[in-house]
Amino acid sequence: ITGLLTVVLLTFAGWNGWNYWQQRQATQAAVLYDTFEKAVRGKDDKLMSRALSDLQSQFPRTTATQQAALLAARVYTDKGELGEAEKSFVWLIDQSANDGYVALARLRMSAIDLERKNPAKAQTWLAGQKAPAGFEALYDDRLGDIAMLQDKKEDAKTHFLAAWKSMEEKNEYRRLIEIKLAALGVNPQPTANP
């Protein structure tokens, strides 16, 4: 009984210690994220870069760090510093356990490579990757765009149709996909027979 009680108490103490450590990490990351966010608002690129680097090295698994990587990539993209944006996205893809963040980073990296006029590389970010729930239509739409740039119209039709079918009817973005399909001579709406 004493041995069992000791094991239970040690397990409980270990569990509490782990929770305390995680909470402390999250709190410290939040403080550093606040510095990062102030640097972004103040357009202090050096401080932003240093805060992001500290977040990534000290707190790589926290949500705050992953959000900081996305925000930094957006700032770099807006400034036309695509190489720096790519570093943030690649770090996020390699480090994040959040499927949504990884999917978003992959979509944005494919957009960067499309902007660089490199559709083959843009495709590698998405092709062969299983899109997480909620991102299927966006993956298919982007793969359709890539296929169009590669002059693979049949592949584009397939991807655009898949994107169109997986989006909700009320989604405004679905209309844009309909326009893309119409440009390829495809009407996704079933026609009623009189």
Side-chain angles (χ1 to χ4, degrees):
I1 292 176
T2 304
L4 180 61
L5 186 59
T6 302
V7 168
V8 168
L9 288 175
L10 286 173
T11 302
F12 183 71
W15 183 75
N16 278 338
W18 173 253
N19 283 336
Y20 172 76
W21 181 80
Q22 282 188 314
Q23 184 178 14
R24 186 166 181 250
Q25 290 284 97
T27 301
Q28 289 174 338
V31 169
L32 194 50
Y33 181 81
D34 187 49
T35 301
F36 168 82
E37 202 171 39
K38 285 177 184 173
V40 169
R41 281 193 308 256
K43 299 183 192 253
D44 185 345
D45 293 345
K46 288 183 181 180
L47 180 57
M48 180 191 79
S49 180
R50 189 170 60 242
L52 178 62
S53 178
D54 289 347
L55 279 165
Q56 289 174 333
S57 65
Q58 296 173 29
F59 311 106
R61 299 282 184 216
T62 63
T63 301
T65 302
Q66 295 167 28
Q67 290 174 345
L70 282 173
L71 181 54
R74 190 188 86 203
V75 168
Y76 289 132
T77 302
D78 290 347
K79 290 180 168 193
E81 297 176 19
L82 300 182
E84 290 300 316
E86 182 174 2
K87 287 179 189 175
S88 289
F89 287 136
V90 169
W91 180 89
L92 189 60
I93 290 166
D94 292 342
Q95 297 294 322
S96 182
N98 183 311
D99 291 341
Y101 288 151
V102 171
L104 192 55
R106 287 184 176 284
L107 282 164
R108 290 187 177 168
M109 271 311 306
S110 70
I112 285 173
D113 283 324
L114 284 177
E115 192 171 318
R116 290 174 172 165
K117 309 282 190 252
N118 191 347
K121 188 172 180 195
Q123 187 174 13
T124 63
W125 292 108
L126 304 175
Q129 303 294 324
K130 184 176 182 326
F135 286 88
E136 299 93 343
L138 296 173
Y139 268 47
D140 277 320
D141 178 52
R142 180 63 49 78
L143 288 168
D145 290 339
I146 292 168
M148 285 296 294
L149 288 173
Q150 294 173 328
D151 203 31
K152 298 178 181 177
K153 291 187 167 78
E154 290 304 313
D155 289 348
K157 286 178 189 178
T158 303
H159 288 298
F160 288 144
L161 274 172
W164 185 85
K165 288 176 183 176
S166 61
M167 279 193 180
E168 294 178 14
E169 280 186 44
K170 295 178 182 177
N171 190 327
E172 290 295 318
Y173 195 74
R174 194 175 195 218
R175 291 183 189 171
L176 179 61
I177 295 172
E178 281 183 30
I179 293 169
K180 292 177 183 182
L181 285 165
L184 291 168
V186 177
N187 180 8
Q189 299 283 355
T191 54
N193 291 329

PDB file of all heavy atoms in Angstrom, residues 1-16:
ATOM      1  N   ILE A   1       0.835  -1.192   0.000  1.00  0.00           N
ATOM      2  CA  ILE A   1       0.000   0.000   0.000  1.00  0.00           C
ATOM      3  C   ILE A   1       0.878   1.253   0.000  1.00  0.00           C
ATOM      4  O   ILE A   1       0.608   2.217  -0.721  1.00  0.00           O
ATOM      5  CB  ILE A   1      -0.955  -0.006   1.212  1.00  0.00           C
ATOM      6  CG1 ILE A   1      -1.978  -1.130   1.038  1.00  0.00           C
ATOM      7  CG2 ILE A   1      -1.660   1.337   1.356  1.00  0.00           C
ATOM      8  CD1 ILE A   1      -2.908  -1.314   2.196  1.00  0.00           C
ATOM      9  N   THR A   2       1.938   1.236   0.796  1.00  0.00           N
ATOM     10  CA  THR A   2       2.833   2.388   0.867  1.00  0.00           C
ATOM     11  C   THR A   2       3.499   2.645  -0.486  1.00  0.00           C
ATOM     12  O   THR A   2       3.618   3.787  -0.930  1.00  0.00           O
ATOM     13  CB  THR A   2       3.913   2.166   1.943  1.00  0.00           C
ATOM     14  OG1 THR A   2       3.273   1.897   3.184  1.00  0.00           O
ATOM     15  CG2 THR A   2       4.800   3.376   2.091  1.00  0.00           C
ATOM     16  N   GLY A   3       3.929   1.570  -1.144  1.00  0.00           N
ATOM     17  CA  GLY A   3       4.559   1.704  -2.464  1.00  0.00           C
ATOM     18  C   GLY A   3       3.588   2.276  -3.480  1.00  0.00           C
ATOM     19  O   GLY A   3       3.947   3.149  -4.285  1.00  0.00           O
ATOM     20  N   LEU A   4       2.349   1.783  -3.470  1.00  0.00           N
ATOM     21  CA  LEU A   4       1.334   2.278  -4.401  1.00  0.00           C
ATOM     22  C   LEU A   4       1.024   3.748  -4.131  1.00  0.00           C
ATOM     23  O   LEU A   4       0.922   4.554  -5.066  1.00  0.00           O
ATOM     24  CB  LEU A   4       0.054   1.429  -4.272  1.00  0.00           C
ATOM     25  CG  LEU A   4      -1.108   1.823  -5.186  1.00  0.00           C
ATOM     26  CD1 LEU A   4      -0.692   1.699  -6.658  1.00  0.00           C
ATOM     27  CD2 LEU A   4      -2.312   0.960  -4.901  1.00  0.00           C
ATOM     28  N   LEU A   5       0.907   4.091  -2.841  1.00  0.00           N
ATOM     29  CA  LEU A   5       0.649   5.473  -2.473  1.00  0.00           C
ATOM     30  C   LEU A   5       1.801   6.382  -2.901  1.00  0.00           C
ATOM     31  O   LEU A   5       1.587   7.488  -3.402  1.00  0.00           O
ATOM     32  CB  LEU A   5       0.420   5.573  -0.965  1.00  0.00           C
ATOM     33  CG  LEU A   5      -0.006   6.933  -0.425  1.00  0.00           C
ATOM     34  CD1 LEU A   5      -1.297   7.388  -1.073  1.00  0.00           C
ATOM     35  CD2 LEU A   5      -0.174   6.874   1.075  1.00  0.00           C
ATOM     36  N   THR A   6       3.031   5.901  -2.781  1.00  0.00           N
ATOM     37  CA  THR A   6       4.214   6.670  -3.201  1.00  0.00           C
ATOM     38  C   THR A   6       4.197   6.905  -4.704  1.00  0.00           C
ATOM     39  O   THR A   6       4.462   8.011  -5.174  1.00  0.00           O
ATOM     40  CB  THR A   6       5.510   5.935  -2.796  1.00  0.00           C
ATOM     41  OG1 THR A   6       5.502   5.739  -1.383  1.00  0.00           O
ATOM     42  CG2 THR A   6       6.740   6.718  -3.203  1.00  0.00           C
ATOM     43  N   VAL A   7       3.864   5.878  -5.478  1.00  0.00           N
ATOM     44  CA  VAL A   7       3.796   6.009  -6.933  1.00  0.00           C
ATOM     45  C   VAL A   7       2.722   7.017  -7.321  1.00  0.00           C
ATOM     46  O   VAL A   7       2.936   7.879  -8.187  1.00  0.00           O
ATOM     47  CB  VAL A   7       3.540   4.631  -7.595  1.00  0.00           C
ATOM     48  CG1 VAL A   7       3.171   4.788  -9.063  1.00  0.00           C
ATOM     49  CG2 VAL A   7       4.740   3.731  -7.434  1.00  0.00           C
ATOM     50  N   VAL A   8       1.562   6.956  -6.697  1.00  0.00           N
ATOM     51  CA  VAL A   8       0.467   7.871  -6.997  1.00  0.00           C
ATOM     52  C   VAL A   8       0.881   9.306  -6.671  1.00  0.00           C
ATOM     53  O   VAL A   8       0.665  10.227  -7.469  1.00  0.00           O
ATOM     54  CB  VAL A   8      -0.820   7.473  -6.234  1.00  0.00           C
ATOM     55  CG1 VAL A   8      -1.875   8.573  -6.311  1.00  0.00           C
ATOM     56  CG2 VAL A   8      -1.374   6.171  -6.770  1.00  0.00           C
ATOM     57  N   LEU A   9       1.501   9.507  -5.516  1.00  0.00           N
ATOM     58  CA  LEU A   9       1.922  10.854  -5.123  1.00  0.00           C
ATOM     59  C   LEU A   9       3.015  11.392  -6.044  1.00  0.00           C
ATOM     60  O   LEU A   9       3.011  12.570  -6.414  1.00  0.00           O
ATOM     61  CB  LEU A   9       2.393  10.866  -3.668  1.00  0.00           C
ATOM     62  CG  LEU A   9       1.285  10.710  -2.618  1.00  0.00           C
ATOM     63  CD1 LEU A   9       1.882  10.601  -1.217  1.00  0.00           C
ATOM     64  CD2 LEU A   9       0.307  11.874  -2.677  1.00  0.00           C
ATOM     65  N   LEU A  10       3.962  10.541  -6.434  1.00  0.00           N
ATOM     66  CA  LEU A  10       5.019  10.966  -7.364  1.00  0.00           C
ATOM     67  C   LEU A  10       4.441  11.313  -8.734  1.00  0.00           C
ATOM     68  O   LEU A  10       4.862  12.284  -9.365  1.00  0.00           O
ATOM     69  CB  LEU A  10       6.093   9.896  -7.495  1.00  0.00           C
ATOM     70  CG  LEU A  10       7.045   9.752  -6.307  1.00  0.00           C
ATOM     71  CD1 LEU A  10       7.957   8.543  -6.496  1.00  0.00           C
ATOM     72  CD2 LEU A  10       7.869  11.019  -6.114  1.00  0.00           C
ATOM     73  N   THR A  11       3.483  10.516  -9.191  1.00  0.00           N
ATOM     74  CA  THR A  11       2.836  10.796 -10.469  1.00  0.00           C
ATOM     75  C   THR A  11       2.091  12.123 -10.410  1.00  0.00           C
ATOM     76  O   THR A  11       2.181  12.948 -11.326  1.00  0.00           O
ATOM     77  CB  THR A  11       1.856   9.660 -10.841  1.00  0.00           C
ATOM     78  OG1 THR A  11       2.572   8.427 -10.888  1.00  0.00           O
ATOM     79  CG2 THR A  11       1.182   9.920 -12.176  1.00  0.00           C
ATOM     80  N   PHE A  12       1.375  12.339  -9.322  1.00  0.00           N
ATOM     81  CA  PHE A  12       0.639  13.596  -9.146  1.00  0.00           C
ATOM     82  C   PHE A  12       1.593  14.789  -9.080  1.00  0.00           C
ATOM     83  O   PHE A  12       1.354  15.821  -9.709  1.00  0.00           O
ATOM     84  CB  PHE A  12      -0.218  13.520  -7.875  1.00  0.00           C
ATOM     85  CG  PHE A  12      -1.056  14.738  -7.645  1.00  0.00           C
ATOM     86  CD1 PHE A  12      -2.154  15.005  -8.451  1.00  0.00           C
ATOM     87  CD2 PHE A  12      -0.745  15.637  -6.630  1.00  0.00           C
ATOM     88  CE1 PHE A  12      -2.926  16.129  -8.251  1.00  0.00           C
ATOM     89  CE2 PHE A  12      -1.507  16.762  -6.430  1.00  0.00           C
ATOM     90  CZ  PHE A  12      -2.602  17.021  -7.231  1.00  0.00           C
ATOM     91  N   ALA A  13       2.681  14.639  -8.364  1.00  0.00           N
ATOM     92  CA  ALA A  13       3.671  15.722  -8.261  1.00  0.00           C
ATOM     93  C   ALA A  13       4.305  15.993  -9.621  1.00  0.00           C
ATOM     94  O   ALA A  13       4.517  17.146 -10.009  1.00  0.00           O
ATOM     95  CB  ALA A  13       4.740  15.362  -7.233  1.00  0.00           C
ATOM     96  N   GLY A  14       4.617  14.936 -10.360  1.00  0.00           N
ATOM     97  CA  GLY A  14       5.186  15.108 -11.702  1.00  0.00           C
ATOM     98  C   GLY A  14       4.220  15.805 -12.635  1.00  0.00           C
ATOM     99  O   GLY A  14       4.610  16.699 -13.403  1.00  0.00           O
ATOM    100  N   TRP A  15       2.963  15.421 -12.565  1.00  0.00           N
ATOM    101  CA  TRP A  15       1.937  16.040 -13.402  1.00  0.00           C
ATOM    102  C   TRP A  15       1.790  17.527 -13.071  1.00  0.00           C
ATOM    103  O   TRP A  15       1.720  18.373 -13.950  1.00  0.00           O
ATOM    104  CB  TRP A  15       0.615  15.292 -13.216  1.00  0.00           C
ATOM    105  CG  TRP A  15      -0.495  15.787 -14.078  1.00  0.00           C
ATOM    106  CD1 TRP A  15      -0.663  15.586 -15.413  1.00  0.00           C
ATOM    107  CD2 TRP A  15      -1.605  16.583 -13.664  1.00  0.00           C
ATOM    108  NE1 TRP A  15      -1.805  16.206 -15.861  1.00  0.00           N
ATOM    109  CE2 TRP A  15      -2.410  16.825 -14.793  1.00  0.00           C
ATOM    110  CE3 TRP A  15      -2.002  17.099 -12.434  1.00  0.00           C
ATOM    111  CZ2 TRP A  15      -3.577  17.563 -14.747  1.00  0.00           C
ATOM    112  CZ3 TRP A  15      -3.179  17.834 -12.383  1.00  0.00           C
ATOM    113  CH2 TRP A  15      -3.943  18.063 -13.537  1.00  0.00           C
ATOM    114  N   ASN A  16       1.752  17.850 -11.778  1.00  0.00           N
ATOM    115  CA  ASN A  16       1.660  19.259 -11.366  1.00  0.00           C
ATOM    116  C   ASN A  16       2.902  20.037 -11.788  1.00  0.00           C
ATOM    117  O   ASN A  16       2.809  21.188 -12.224  1.00  0.00           O
ATOM    118  CB  ASN A  16       1.471  19.372  -9.850  1.00  0.00           C
ATOM    119  CG  ASN A  16       0.028  19.184  -9.449  1.00  0.00           C
ATOM    120  OD1 ASN A  16      -0.878  19.370 -10.244  1.00  0.00           O
ATOM    121  ND2 ASN A  16      -0.184  18.804  -8.194  1.00  0.00           N
TER     122      ASN A  16
END
